[in-house]
Amino acid sequence: MATGQEASAARYRTIAADLAAKIRAGDYRPGEALPSQRDLSAAYGVTLMTLRQALRQLSDEGLIEQQPGRGTFVSPPHLAYRLGSLRSFADDLRDQGHEVRTAVVGRAVRRLPARVAGALRASATDSGLRLERVRAFAGRRAVHQVSWVRASHADGLREVDFTATSLYEALAVRGVSVARATETIRPGILDAALAAHLDDPPGAAVFVSDRTTYTQDGTAIVADRATILGSMMEINTDRAARGLSLHWGALRGDGS
């Protein structure tokens, strides 16, 4: 016969499993508040202590977030940012099972900013195609991305439907295949201008990715800057003895 302690443990695990199933089925959506602890304990017919054990398990599994004074909320899904792959943001998101919506905010040929000219090894008087997009998944605008394409490789890109086509795909259709990229990711703070495009307020934590993409012959053709909500992203990678190379260094402002 099970002891009272064993019965209590079995009960809270059953409650945790039931709530987890409802979260994964979409009964409780990302960012949505769960019923109060008192209401949940009454619904499951258990004490507040047993209910809190179940919530603690869900919190440990990353399914919920308990916010003092506000309640318990379903955690937003996280984009696993894969350092070891060379893919578009949209392809990475879709591969992880997310439905992605892309909005094109701007597209124009402009003079390259100094930072971009340096990344593309171009003259500061050169021009390029500036493509500005916002990615939304799990019901939230989570990624703001500005891509600069070297002018010599931008022919025909102004007519592409980038709500449905990735930049890498559009380049490949035009006979330009990407071979490698260098990337720097650093923490940052969301400013008011970018907050207008994303679903977190100014001052929220973000990750800022600067990526330069090269063709097989070493020509730098795309310079990207992506700002990603910190609440929606985690970074992971597979490490091998002779594989991905990570370099750690002090942060430095770039004024751009």
Side-chain angles (χ1 to χ4, degrees), residues 117-135:
L120 295 179
R121 302 172 187 170
S123 166
T125 60
D126 287 346
S127 298
L129 176 67
R130 182 185 185 275
L131 175 63
E132 182 177 6
R133 292 164 289 175
V134 172
R135 316 281 195 183

mmCIF file with all atom_site columns, all heavy atoms in Angstrom, residues 117-135:
data_model
loop_
_atom_site.group_PDB
_atom_site.id
_atom_site.type_symbol
_atom_site.label_atom_id
_atom_site.label_alt_id
_atom_site.label_comp_id
_atom_site.label_asym_id
_atom_site.label_entity_id
_atom_site.label_seq_id
_atom_site.pdbx_PDB_ins_code
_atom_site.Cartn_x
_atom_site.Cartn_y
_atom_site.Cartn_z
_atom_site.occupancy
_atom_site.B_iso_or_equiv
_atom_site.pdbx_formal_charge
_atom_site.auth_seq_id
_atom_site.auth_comp_id
_atom_site.auth_asym_id
_atom_site.auth_atom_id
_atom_site.pdbx_PDB_model_num
ATOM 1   N N   . ALA A 1 117 ? 30.090 48.695 -45.094 1.00 0.00 ? 117 ALA A N   1
ATOM 2   C CA  . ALA A 1 117 ? 31.154 48.744 -46.107 1.00 0.00 ? 117 ALA A CA  1
ATOM 3   C C   . ALA A 1 117 ? 32.377 47.973 -45.634 1.00 0.00 ? 117 ALA A C   1
ATOM 4   O O   . ALA A 1 117 ? 33.017 47.248 -46.401 1.00 0.00 ? 117 ALA A O   1
ATOM 5   C CB  . ALA A 1 117 ? 31.514 50.195 -46.418 1.00 0.00 ? 117 ALA A CB  1
ATOM 6   N N   . GLY A 1 118 ? 32.694 48.116 -44.346 1.00 0.00 ? 118 GLY A N   1
ATOM 7   C CA  . GLY A 1 118 ? 33.828 47.380 -43.805 1.00 0.00 ? 118 GLY A CA  1
ATOM 8   C C   . GLY A 1 118 ? 33.599 45.880 -43.844 1.00 0.00 ? 118 GLY A C   1
ATOM 9   O O   . GLY A 1 118 ? 34.495 45.108 -44.191 1.00 0.00 ? 118 GLY A O   1
ATOM 10  N N   . ALA A 1 119 ? 32.402 45.444 -43.492 1.00 0.00 ? 119 ALA A N   1
ATOM 11  C CA  . ALA A 1 119 ? 32.093 44.013 -43.493 1.00 0.00 ? 119 ALA A CA  1
ATOM 12  C C   . ALA A 1 119 ? 32.133 43.435 -44.898 1.00 0.00 ? 119 ALA A C   1
ATOM 13  O O   . ALA A 1 119 ? 32.584 42.298 -45.106 1.00 0.00 ? 119 ALA A O   1
ATOM 14  C CB  . ALA A 1 119 ? 30.720 43.779 -42.872 1.00 0.00 ? 119 ALA A CB  1
ATOM 15  N N   . LEU A 1 120 ? 31.690 44.215 -45.892 1.00 0.00 ? 120 LEU A N   1
ATOM 16  C CA  . LEU A 1 120 ? 31.651 43.741 -47.274 1.00 0.00 ? 120 LEU A CA  1
ATOM 17  C C   . LEU A 1 120 ? 32.952 44.031 -48.036 1.00 0.00 ? 120 LEU A C   1
ATOM 18  O O   . LEU A 1 120 ? 33.052 43.713 -49.221 1.00 0.00 ? 120 LEU A O   1
ATOM 19  C CB  . LEU A 1 120 ? 30.471 44.379 -48.018 1.00 0.00 ? 120 LEU A CB  1
ATOM 20  C CG  . LEU A 1 120 ? 29.071 44.003 -47.517 1.00 0.00 ? 120 LEU A CG  1
ATOM 21  C CD1 . LEU A 1 120 ? 28.004 44.724 -48.342 1.00 0.00 ? 120 LEU A CD1 1
ATOM 22  C CD2 . LEU A 1 120 ? 28.860 42.493 -47.591 1.00 0.00 ? 120 LEU A CD2 1
ATOM 23  N N   . ARG A 1 121 ? 33.913 44.650 -47.317 1.00 0.00 ? 121 ARG A N   1
ATOM 24  C CA  . ARG A 1 121 ? 35.192 45.018 -47.944 1.00 0.00 ? 121 ARG A CA  1
ATOM 25  C C   . ARG A 1 121 ? 34.940 45.886 -49.179 1.00 0.00 ? 121 ARG A C   1
ATOM 26  O O   . ARG A 1 121 ? 35.510 45.678 -50.258 1.00 0.00 ? 121 ARG A O   1
ATOM 27  C CB  . ARG A 1 121 ? 35.981 43.768 -48.334 1.00 0.00 ? 121 ARG A CB  1
ATOM 28  C CG  . ARG A 1 121 ? 36.280 42.851 -47.152 1.00 0.00 ? 121 ARG A CG  1
ATOM 29  C CD  . ARG A 1 121 ? 36.874 41.546 -47.601 1.00 0.00 ? 121 ARG A CD  1
ATOM 30  N NE  . ARG A 1 121 ? 37.004 40.604 -46.500 1.00 0.00 ? 121 ARG A NE  1
ATOM 31  C CZ  . ARG A 1 121 ? 37.318 39.320 -46.641 1.00 0.00 ? 121 ARG A CZ  1
ATOM 32  N NH1 . ARG A 1 121 ? 37.539 38.829 -47.854 1.00 0.00 ? 121 ARG A NH1 1
ATOM 33  N NH2 . ARG A 1 121 ? 37.403 38.532 -45.596 1.00 0.00 ? 121 ARG A NH2 1
ATOM 34  N N   . ALA A 1 122 ? 34.053 46.860 -49.004 1.00 0.00 ? 122 ALA A N   1
ATOM 35  C CA  . ALA A 1 122 ? 33.676 47.753 -50.096 1.00 0.00 ? 122 ALA A CA  1
ATOM 36  C C   . ALA A 1 122 ? 34.065 49.177 -49.733 1.00 0.00 ? 122 ALA A C   1
ATOM 37  O O   . ALA A 1 122 ? 34.437 49.482 -48.597 1.00 0.00 ? 122 ALA A O   1
ATOM 38  C CB  . ALA A 1 122 ? 32.164 47.670 -50.345 1.00 0.00 ? 122 ALA A CB  1
ATOM 39  N N   . SER A 1 123 ? 33.954 50.064 -50.696 1.00 0.00 ? 123 SER A N   1
ATOM 40  C CA  . SER A 1 123 ? 34.223 51.472 -50.466 1.00 0.00 ? 123 SER A CA  1
ATOM 41  C C   . SER A 1 123 ? 33.025 52.116 -49.774 1.00 0.00 ? 123 SER A C   1
ATOM 42  O O   . SER A 1 123 ? 31.872 51.721 -50.000 1.00 0.00 ? 123 SER A O   1
ATOM 43  C CB  . SER A 1 123 ? 34.483 52.178 -51.802 1.00 0.00 ? 123 SER A CB  1
ATOM 44  O OG  . SER A 1 123 ? 34.436 53.575 -51.639 1.00 0.00 ? 123 SER A OG  1
ATOM 45  N N   . ALA A 1 124 ? 33.284 53.108 -48.953 1.00 0.00 ? 124 ALA A N   1
ATOM 46  C CA  . ALA A 1 124 ? 32.212 53.812 -48.257 1.00 0.00 ? 124 ALA A CA  1
ATOM 47  C C   . ALA A 1 124 ? 31.318 54.579 -49.230 1.00 0.00 ? 124 ALA A C   1
ATOM 48  O O   . ALA A 1 124 ? 30.215 55.016 -48.851 1.00 0.00 ? 124 ALA A O   1
ATOM 49  C CB  . ALA A 1 124 ? 32.794 54.766 -47.225 1.00 0.00 ? 124 ALA A CB  1
ATOM 50  N N   . THR A 1 125 ? 31.768 54.735 -50.479 1.00 0.00 ? 125 THR A N   1
ATOM 51  C CA  . THR A 1 125 ? 30.937 55.420 -51.474 1.00 0.00 ? 125 THR A CA  1
ATOM 52  C C   . THR A 1 125 ? 30.090 54.436 -52.274 1.00 0.00 ? 125 THR A C   1
ATOM 53  O O   . THR A 1 125 ? 29.268 54.851 -53.083 1.00 0.00 ? 125 THR A O   1
ATOM 54  C CB  . THR A 1 125 ? 31.828 56.222 -52.443 1.00 0.00 ? 125 THR A CB  1
ATOM 55  O OG1 . THR A 1 125 ? 32.725 55.322 -53.119 1.00 0.00 ? 125 THR A OG1 1
ATOM 56  C CG2 . THR A 1 125 ? 32.621 57.271 -51.694 1.00 0.00 ? 125 THR A CG2 1
ATOM 57  N N   . ASP A 1 126 ? 30.279 53.136 -52.048 1.00 0.00 ? 126 ASP A N   1
ATOM 58  C CA  . ASP A 1 126 ? 29.513 52.119 -52.779 1.00 0.00 ? 126 ASP A CA  1
ATOM 59  C C   . ASP A 1 126 ? 28.090 52.037 -52.242 1.00 0.00 ? 126 ASP A C   1
ATOM 60  O O   . ASP A 1 126 ? 27.796 52.432 -51.105 1.00 0.00 ? 126 ASP A O   1
ATOM 61  C CB  . ASP A 1 126 ? 30.172 50.747 -52.642 1.00 0.00 ? 126 ASP A CB  1
ATOM 62  C CG  . ASP A 1 126 ? 31.447 50.639 -53.461 1.00 0.00 ? 126 ASP A CG  1
ATOM 63  O OD1 . ASP A 1 126 ? 31.666 51.521 -54.324 1.00 0.00 ? 126 ASP A OD1 1
ATOM 64  O OD2 . ASP A 1 126 ? 32.226 49.702 -53.223 1.00 0.00 ? 126 ASP A OD2 1
ATOM 65  N N   . SER A 1 127 ? 27.212 51.477 -53.079 1.00 0.00 ? 127 SER A N   1
ATOM 66  C CA  . SER A 1 127 ? 25.817 51.277 -52.689 1.00 0.00 ? 127 SER A CA  1
ATOM 67  C C   . SER A 1 127 ? 25.502 49.796 -52.611 1.00 0.00 ? 127 SER A C   1
ATOM 68  O O   . SER A 1 127 ? 26.258 48.945 -53.090 1.00 0.00 ? 127 SER A O   1
ATOM 69  C CB  . SER A 1 127 ? 24.870 51.956 -53.692 1.00 0.00 ? 127 SER A CB  1
ATOM 70  O OG  . SER A 1 127 ? 25.088 53.348 -53.711 1.00 0.00 ? 127 SER A OG  1
ATOM 71  N N   . GLY A 1 128 ? 24.384 49.496 -51.996 1.00 0.00 ? 128 GLY A N   1
ATOM 72  C CA  . GLY A 1 128 ? 23.924 48.122 -51.908 1.00 0.00 ? 128 GLY A CA  1
ATOM 73  C C   . GLY A 1 128 ? 22.431 48.096 -51.664 1.00 0.00 ? 128 GLY A C   1
ATOM 74  O O   . GLY A 1 128 ? 21.799 49.123 -51.373 1.00 0.00 ? 128 GLY A O   1
ATOM 75  N N   . LEU A 1 129 ? 21.845 46.911 -51.785 1.00 0.00 ? 129 LEU A N   1
ATOM 76  C CA  . LEU A 1 129 ? 20.423 46.746 -51.509 1.00 0.00 ? 129 LEU A CA  1
ATOM 77  C C   . LEU A 1 129 ? 20.224 46.564 -50.016 1.00 0.00 ? 129 LEU A C   1
ATOM 78  O O   . LEU A 1 129 ? 20.796 45.659 -49.405 1.00 0.00 ? 129 LEU A O   1
ATOM 79  C CB  . LEU A 1 129 ? 19.860 45.539 -52.258 1.00 0.00 ? 129 LEU A CB  1
ATOM 80  C CG  . LEU A 1 129 ? 18.391 45.211 -51.959 1.00 0.00 ? 129 LEU A CG  1
ATOM 81  C CD1 . LEU A 1 129 ? 17.477 46.309 -52.491 1.00 0.00 ? 129 LEU A CD1 1
ATOM 82  C CD2 . LEU A 1 129 ? 18.005 43.856 -52.534 1.00 0.00 ? 129 LEU A CD2 1
ATOM 83  N N   . ARG A 1 130 ? 19.414 47.412 -49.397 1.00 0.00 ? 130 ARG A N   1
ATOM 84  C CA  . ARG A 1 130 ? 19.075 47.290 -47.984 1.00 0.00 ? 130 ARG A CA  1
ATOM 85  C C   . ARG A 1 130 ? 17.697 46.643 -47.869 1.00 0.00 ? 130 ARG A C   1
ATOM 86  O O   . ARG A 1 130 ? 16.694 47.182 -48.344 1.00 0.00 ? 130 ARG A O   1
ATOM 87  C CB  . ARG A 1 130 ? 19.059 48.656 -47.305 1.00 0.00 ? 130 ARG A CB  1
ATOM 88  C CG  . ARG A 1 130 ? 18.755 48.595 -45.806 1.00 0.00 ? 130 ARG A CG  1
ATOM 89  C CD  . ARG A 1 130 ? 18.648 50.006 -45.232 1.00 0.00 ? 130 ARG A CD  1
ATOM 90  N NE  . ARG A 1 130 ? 18.483 50.005 -43.780 1.00 0.00 ? 130 ARG A NE  1
ATOM 91  C CZ  . ARG A 1 130 ? 17.310 49.869 -43.163 1.00 0.00 ? 130 ARG A CZ  1
ATOM 92  N NH1 . ARG A 1 130 ? 16.190 49.726 -43.871 1.00 0.00 ? 130 ARG A NH1 1
ATOM 93  N NH2 . ARG A 1 130 ? 17.241 49.884 -41.836 1.00 0.00 ? 130 ARG A NH2 1
ATOM 94  N N   . LEU A 1 131 ? 17.643 45.476 -47.235 1.00 0.00 ? 131 LEU A N   1
ATOM 95  C CA  . LEU A 1 131 ? 16.404 44.722 -47.072 1.00 0.00 ? 131 LEU A CA  1
ATOM 96  C C   . LEU A 1 131 ? 16.108 44.620 -45.577 1.00 0.00 ? 131 LEU A C   1
ATOM 97  O O   . LEU A 1 131 ? 16.904 44.068 -44.818 1.00 0.00 ? 131 LEU A O   1
ATOM 98  C CB  . LEU A 1 131 ? 16.558 43.322 -47.686 1.00 0.00 ? 131 LEU A CB  1
ATOM 99  C CG  . LEU A 1 131 ? 15.398 42.348 -47.510 1.00 0.00 ? 131 LEU A CG  1
ATOM 100 C CD1 . LEU A 1 131 ? 14.140 42.864 -48.200 1.00 0.00 ? 131 LEU A CD1 1
ATOM 101 C CD2 . LEU A 1 131 ? 15.785 40.968 -48.059 1.00 0.00 ? 131 LEU A CD2 1
ATOM 102 N N   . GLU A 1 132 ? 14.959 45.152 -45.167 1.00 0.00 ? 132 GLU A N   1
ATOM 103 C CA  . GLU A 1 132 ? 14.584 45.161 -43.751 1.00 0.00 ? 132 GLU A CA  1
ATOM 104 C C   . GLU A 1 132 ? 13.349 44.282 -43.574 1.00 0.00 ? 132 GLU A C   1
ATOM 105 O O   . GLU A 1 132 ? 12.322 44.483 -44.226 1.00 0.00 ? 132 GLU A O   1
ATOM 106 C CB  . GLU A 1 132 ? 14.289 46.584 -43.286 1.00 0.00 ? 132 GLU A CB  1
ATOM 107 C CG  . GLU A 1 132 ? 13.941 46.687 -41.802 1.00 0.00 ? 132 GLU A CG  1
ATOM 108 C CD  . GLU A 1 132 ? 13.716 48.131 -41.348 1.00 0.00 ? 132 GLU A CD  1
ATOM 109 O OE1 . GLU A 1 132 ? 13.719 49.020 -42.233 1.00 0.00 ? 132 GLU A OE1 1
ATOM 110 O OE2 . GLU A 1 132 ? 13.532 48.356 -40.143 1.00 0.00 ? 132 GLU A OE2 1
ATOM 111 N N   . ARG A 1 133 ? 13.463 43.292 -42.667 1.00 0.00 ? 133 ARG A N   1
ATOM 112 C CA  . ARG A 1 133 ? 12.362 42.354 -42.435 1.00 0.00 ? 133 ARG A CA  1
ATOM 113 C C   . ARG A 1 133 ? 12.113 42.158 -40.939 1.00 0.00 ? 133 ARG A C   1
ATOM 114 O O   . ARG A 1 133 ? 13.021 42.346 -40.125 1.00 0.00 ? 133 ARG A O   1
ATOM 115 C CB  . ARG A 1 133 ? 12.675 40.995 -43.069 1.00 0.00 ? 133 ARG A CB  1
ATOM 116 C CG  . ARG A 1 133 ? 12.704 40.990 -44.589 1.00 0.00 ? 133 ARG A CG  1
ATOM 117 C CD  . ARG A 1 133 ? 13.387 39.757 -45.143 1.00 0.00 ? 133 ARG A CD  1
ATOM 118 N NE  . ARG A 1 133 ? 14.829 39.791 -44.904 1.00 0.00 ? 133 ARG A NE  1
ATOM 119 C CZ  . ARG A 1 133 ? 15.660 38.798 -45.190 1.00 0.00 ? 133 ARG A CZ  1
ATOM 120 N NH1 . ARG A 1 133 ? 15.190 37.686 -45.718 1.00 0.00 ? 133 ARG A NH1 1
ATOM 121 N NH2 . ARG A 1 133 ? 16.956 38.907 -44.957 1.00 0.00 ? 133 ARG A NH2 1
ATOM 122 N N   . VAL A 1 134 ? 10.888 41.744 -40.623 1.00 0.00 ? 134 VAL A N   1
ATOM 123 C CA  . VAL A 1 134 ? 10.528 41.370 -39.257 1.00 0.00 ? 134 VAL A CA  1
ATOM 124 C C   . VAL A 1 134 ? 9.954  39.965 -39.301 1.00 0.00 ? 134 VAL A C   1
ATOM 125 O O   . VAL A 1 134 ? 9.067  39.667 -40.108 1.00 0.00 ? 134 VAL A O   1
ATOM 126 C CB  . VAL A 1 134 ? 9.498  42.347 -38.652 1.00 0.00 ? 134 VAL A CB  1
ATOM 127 C CG1 . VAL A 1 134 ? 8.991  41.835 -37.307 1.00 0.00 ? 134 VAL A CG1 1
ATOM 128 C CG2 . VAL A 1 134 ? 10.111 43.733 -38.495 1.00 0.00 ? 134 VAL A CG2 1
ATOM 129 N N   . ARG A 1 135 ? 10.473 39.082 -38.419 1.00 0.00 ? 135 ARG A N   1
ATOM 130 C CA  . ARG A 1 135 ? 9.990  37.701 -38.333 1.00 0.00 ? 135 ARG A CA  1
ATOM 131 C C   . ARG A 1 135 ? 9.111  37.550 -37.099 1.00 0.00 ? 135 ARG A C   1
ATOM 132 O O   . ARG A 1 135 ? 9.468  37.999 -36.010 1.00 0.00 ? 135 ARG A O   1
ATOM 133 C CB  . ARG A 1 135 ? 11.147 36.720 -38.189 1.00 0.00 ? 135 ARG A CB  1
ATOM 134 C CG  . ARG A 1 135 ? 12.324 36.985 -39.101 1.00 0.00 ? 135 ARG A CG  1
ATOM 135 C CD  . ARG A 1 135 ? 12.080 36.510 -40.495 1.00 0.00 ? 135 ARG A CD  1
ATOM 136 N NE  . ARG A 1 135 ? 13.329 36.443 -41.243 1.00 0.00 ? 135 ARG A NE  1
ATOM 137 C CZ  . ARG A 1 135 ? 13.417 36.113 -42.516 1.00 0.00 ? 135 ARG A CZ  1
ATOM 138 N NH1 . ARG A 1 135 ? 12.328 35.809 -43.183 1.00 0.00 ? 135 ARG A NH1 1
ATOM 139 N NH2 . ARG A 1 135 ? 14.582 36.081 -43.136 1.00 0.00 ? 135 ARG A NH2 1
#
